[in-house]
Amino acid sequence: MSGSTGDIAEAWRHHRPYLVNLAYQMLGDIGDAEDVAQEAFLRLSRTDVNTIDDVRAWLTVVAGRLCLDQARSARARYERPGDIEAAADAVNQPVRLDPADRVTLDDEVRTALLEVLRRLSPGERVSFVLHDVFGVPFDAIAETVGRPAGTCRQLARRARAKFALTQPKPGEVTAAEHQLVTEKFITACANGDLQALVAVLDPTVWGVGTVLADPALPPQINHGPHDVAVNLLRYLGPGATVVSGPAGQPVLLAFAERRLFAVVVLTIGEHLVTKIEATADPSARV
């Protein structure tokens, strides 16, 4: 017996933004992340939702397994000698100044994220992202990875040590607080929910947006939860896909048609967003 249309639609609204974000942290590619989320929901639609105690946890396990399989496959492809030589050749190419060959915002972010992910084995990647970024217990991670909980704990510890080498000194905001606030922010944007977005903004919040294509254009500045939220939903609402930056850093990435068009930096305090700094490349959203 499959899930009812209403049940699946409700789950899609509440959990798809989270699931895409989770998959992106593991795979580093927005297209792959959206495909994983789509497949997870397809499998949910073939299941009796009434028999599932926690739909979000069920989707997390399914998406985690899909990401693990894909990460293992990608790692095997990347480690072929020909691929390594091709990657080295690309890195060693001289810088080209032709504007037509410019490195796009999308290229820069993807390169940085993949460099971090490649430091981790597939098991380390999945265990670390699920536990440290999304707070999934190791018992549940064990079910996803197919290894004992103690082994998953060790995998996450190793990944944490490797990942720490690439990170700046952490700020005062805890990882749990950051995850809670950004998830509410991303879900509100995905659903075009003005009220929910306003609720996660501090009363003194202000936002500033810079357009890459025209440096002469003055930054757009908005003050107050309502004005900031209305402006954000013009760009980050339904039609855009918003995910967190590498492993829960205070950066959000906005995609349209699987192309990155904006990077948004959040300043968080007391469980609310106090400042938003956005850099957009309108040419990427066509």
Side-chain angles (χ1 to χ4, degrees):
M1 176 179 170
S2 61
S4 70
T5 302
D7 290 336
I8 301 302
E10 187 69 9
W12 178 275
R13 174 179 171 82
H14 286 290
H15 303 308
R16 183 181 180 274
Y18 156 81
L19 213 61
V20 172
N21 191 19
L22 180 146
Y24 182 79
Q25 302 305 308
M26 298 185 200
L27 301 175
D29 183 275
I30 194 63
D32 290 344
E34 290 180 337
D35 288 345
V36 163
Q38 184 78 18
E39 177 63 23
F41 274 100
L42 181 61
R43 296 186 184 191
L44 180 65
S45 71
R46 297 169 178 166
T47 304
D48 184 355
V49 178
N50 294 322
T51 66
I52 300 175
D53 293 332
D54 187 336
V55 171
R56 179 183 172 112
W58 188 94
L59 287 167
T60 297
V61 169
V62 172
R65 288 174 176 167
L66 292 169
C67 288
L68 183 61
D69 290 343
Q70 188 153 330
R72 284 171 174 161
S73 176
R75 187 180 183 89
R77 291 195 304 271
Y78 179 73
E79 289 181 346
R80 289 202 305 263
D83 290 340
I84 293 175
E85 291 173 5
D89 289 342
V91 170
N92 292 326
Q93 287 295 317
V95 177
R96 294 171 294 185
L97 300 179
D98 186 344
D101 294 324
R102 72 183 181 88
V103 176
T104 67
L105 191 63
D106 202 359
D107 293 330
E108 293 174 346
V109 171
R110 182 182 296 111
T111 299
L113 178 55
L114 290 178
E115 178 58 32
V116 172
L117 292 179
R118 282 171 181 157
R119 294 172 182 263
L120 311 179
S121 72
E124 289 172 343
R125 185 187 307 181
V126 173
S127 297
F128 171 69
V129 169
L130 286 176
H131 182 266
D132 284 43
V133 180
F134 292 92
V136 177
F138 282 115
D139 288 344
I141 296 173
E143 183 180 355
T144 300
V145 178
R147 300 189 187 183
T151 301
C152 293
R153 188 175 289 106
Q154 292 175 357
L155 289 170
R157 186 181 301 116
R158 287 205 301 264
R160 198 177 301 123
K162 292 178 183 179
F163 189 79
L165 297 175
T166 70
Q167 299 306 301
K169 184 177 180 180
E172 295 181 358
V173 177
T174 65
E177 180 181 355
H178 175 266
Q179 170 62 21
L180 177 65
V181 173
T182 55
E183 185 176 327
K184 290 180 178 179
F185 186 99
I186 288 171
T187 302
C189 289
N191 293 321
D193 190 333
L194 179 63
Q195 184 175 355
L197 186 55
V198 167
V200 80
L201 302 179
D202 187 85
T204 64
V205 69
W206 64 289
V208 54
T210 302
V211 178
L212 288 178
D214 188 358
L217 193 67
Q220 180 180 3
I221 299 176
N222 297 100
H223 293 273
H226 182 270
D227 288 351
V228 169
V230 167
N231 189 61
L232 282 170
L233 290 180
R234 289 195 185 106
Y235 302 98
L236 306 183
T241 299
V242 182
V243 296
S244 296
Q249 293 302 297
V251 176
L252 302 180
L253 310 176
F255 296 83
E257 300 297 327
R258 300 189 172 184
R259 298 179 64 186
L260 184 71
F261 70 89
V263 173
V264 181
V265 179
L266 302 180
T267 301
I268 297 172
E270 300 298 326
H271 300 284
L272 294 171
V273 177
T274 60
K275 182 182 179 183
I276 300 170
E277 301 167 88
T279 302
D281 182 2
S283 65
R285 190 170 188 176
V286 293

